[in-house]
Amino acid sequence: MRYQLIDRVIDADDTTLTAVKAVTAAEEYLGDHFPGFPVLPGVMMLEALCQAGRALVARRDDTPGAARLAMSQAKNVKYGRMVRPGQTLTVSVELKADADGVYDFAGEGAVNGETAVKARFTLAPIPETTPAATAAA
């Protein structure tokens, strides 16, 4: 199952990207999180930051392989306000370092200027697997 948590990029340059996610009541995962009081799960807010980071790498490096980047580390993750259906989460990421295809970011997600999520995170290439390596595992 794939969740697209970036609806639109609103600003970008070589080291920063800002995007938005309009949270709607139709989001499948809100039915269980929480019944009667739906909120965007924290892990989805963190994933929105990662998707913004991938989008920045793809724009910056013109690299279709950016889709093959996965979060390898998250540090100092802090959650603030809840994000409810009908609200828009604005995520901003800043590339702090790029070494050998591993990207370190600082990111923040906010609703109406109030922080919902803030984190430092690293995106790294997903290792390629071969049929022989998979069979040996």
Side-chain angles (χ1 to χ4, degrees):
M1 187 173 295
R2 296 183 81 128
Y3 293 110
Q4 183 62 26
L5 296 169
I6 298 297
D7 293 331
R8 178 171 47 98
V9 172
I10 57 175
D11 190 34
D13 61 32
D14 284 347
T15 60
T16 63
L17 183 135
T18 302
V20 293
K21 166 63 178 164
V23 180
T24 69
E27 313 279 343
E28 180 182 337
Y29 44 82
L30 292 179
D32 296 320
H33 197 272
F34 295 98
F37 188 79
V39 296
L40 184 64
V43 70
M44 296 298 208
M45 288 189 247
L46 188 57
E47 174 61 19
L49 293 177
C50 290
Q51 289 182 15
R54 278 189 215 100
L56 175 60
V57 171
R59 284 173 162 294
R60 180 177 173 265
D61 296 343
D62 196 26
T63 309
R68 300 241 352 123
L69 294 172
M71 182 175 57
S72 62
Q73 186 176 61
K75 300 185 281 190
N76 301 324
V77 180
K78 294 184 173 125
Y79 294 100
R81 67 159 305 161
M82 293 182 193
V83 182
R84 309 266 334 247
Q87 296 179 323
T88 299
L89 179 68
T90 301
V91 295
S92 298
V93 295
E94 180 180 4
L95 180 62
K96 295 294 192 176
D98 168 9
D100 298 322
V102 176
Y103 303 89
D104 290 316
F105 289 93
E108 182 173 358
V111 174
N112 297 326
E114 293 181 47
T115 300
V117 63
K118 191 173 189 173
R120 291 292 301 254
F121 62 97
T122 302
L123 297 178
I126 298 170
E128 294 294 325
T129 58
T130 62
T134 305

